[in-house]
Amino acid sequence: QVQLVASAGGSVQSGGSLRLSCVASGFTSCTRCMAWFRQAPGQEREGVSAIDSDGTTSYADSVKGRFTISQESAKNTLYLQMSSLKPEDTAMYYCAAGPYIVRQWAILRSDNYRYWGQGTQVTVSS
């Protein structure tokens, strides 16, 4: 049984930092291939950052230079270090795994993932 369990998010002021984590278990296909997505109220779910089968990372333009995705394979854990947070980063954040296509052009597409975590709220106040 596949499980993705994300850590609690939090509330910070603009300019602050947060780190999200997601512990994965139960799947075998490309265990490295994982991603973070986010969804703000009234908006579509968008890809934030992902790691592909080669270990290459991708980021949405809106977070480049501020967010860093990483993995700790021994703990089956995915991280998202978020710095210089802005109010527009406020959203529910989800980790995802089990992509159908493990290429760069697909790894930030929400319809490309089989498995999803429960979501964790990040709120950034101005």
Side-chain angles (χ1 to χ4, degrees):
Q1 182 178 358
V2 175
Q3 282 193 317
L4 300 174
V5 181
S7 60
S11 297
V12 296
Q13 290 191 326
S14 182
S17 299
L18 278 176
R19 188 176 80 157
L20 303 180
S21 62
C22 176
V23 180
S25 63
F27 63 94
T28 57
S29 62
C30 193
T31 54
R32 167 184 289 181
C33 306
M34 296 183 68
W36 289 99
F37 288 80
R38 67 185 181 187
Q39 188 168 20
Q43 297 187 19
E44 293 186 356
R45 190 169 297 188
E46 64 168 345
V48 175
S49 185
I51 301 177
D52 72 9
S53 57
D54 295 327
T56 303
T57 57
S58 295
Y59 295 91
D61 289 342
S62 58
V63 306
K64 282 181 181 176
R66 300 187 300 120
F67 289 13
T68 302
I69 192 171
S70 63
Q71 284 178 315
E72 191 170 357
S73 300
K75 296 183 179 181
N76 295 323
T77 303
L78 180 73
Y79 300 99
L80 184 68
Q81 178 66 49
M82 305 182 289
S83 303
S84 302
L85 282 161
K86 304 175 182 180
E88 50 263 44
D89 294 318
T90 295
M92 187 73 75
Y93 283 70
Y94 300 88
C95 58
Y100 296 101
I101 300 170
V102 296
R103 300 289 180 86
Q104 278 282 301
W105 63 267
I107 59 172
L108 285 178
R109 292 173 57 103
S110 62
D111 59 358
N112 189 38
Y113 287 85
R114 294 178 177 88
Y115 312 118
W116 293 86
Q118 80 278 18
T120 186
Q121 180 67 38
V122 172
T123 303
V124 184
S125 57
S126 57

